[in-house]
């Protein structure tokens, strides 16, 4: 069974940083491109970032480019998202998703990031 479990969310002040993790199991993690998506208050899922299966290429939404960094550890089956210079508009529940599944109902519980002064 495919499992994705996100963690690392917290309440932080604007300008702060967090690192989110996504622990994957039940599939060959190293063969899948992976994504982070988020759902803000009263909004739908928004794609945030993606990374190729081998980590050789990353892409970002314009809203987070230069502030967020996606990475992965294929030996540990973990996907990461480093969030720097956080803004109030980054407040959302963050989910990880496999390639081809970014529009599907998230598999995991997500992790809540709240940016507030």
């Amino acid at each position: 069974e495919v499992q994705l479990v996100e963690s690392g969310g917290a309440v932080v002040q604007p300008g702060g940083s967090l690192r989110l993790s996504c622990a994957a199991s039940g599939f060959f993690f190293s063969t899948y491109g992976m994504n982070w998506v988020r759902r803000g208050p009263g909004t739908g899922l928004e794609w945030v970032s993606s990374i190729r299966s081998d980590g050789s290429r990353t892409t970002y939404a314009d809203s987070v480019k230069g502030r967020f960094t996606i990475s992965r550890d294929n030996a540990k089956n973990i996907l990461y998202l480093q969030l720097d210079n956080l803004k109030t508009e980054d407040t959302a529940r963050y989910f990880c998703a496999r390639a081809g599944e970014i529009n599907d109902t998230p598999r995991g519980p997500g992790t809540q990031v709240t940016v507030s002064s």
Side-chain angles (χ1 to χ4, degrees), residues 12-55:
V12 296
Q13 293 186 340
S17 296
L18 284 174
R19 188 174 81 156
L20 308 183
S21 299
C22 167
S25 61
F27 65 102
F28 290 107
F29 179 74
S30 63
T31 67
Y32 276 81
M34 294 295 296
N35 300 269
W36 285 98
V37 297
R38 66 186 181 185
R39 182 186 290 133
T43 66
L45 284 175
E46 175 192 12
W47 171 78
V48 174
S49 181
S50 66
I51 187 168
R52 281 187 175 174
S53 58
D54 62 358

Side-chain angles (χ1 to χ4, degrees), residues 76-89:
K76 296 182 179 179
N77 288 358
I78 300 178
L79 177 72
Y80 299 102
L81 187 68
Q82 176 69 36
L83 290 66
D84 296 316
N85 191 20
L86 281 159
K87 303 177 180 181
T88 55
E89 52 262 43

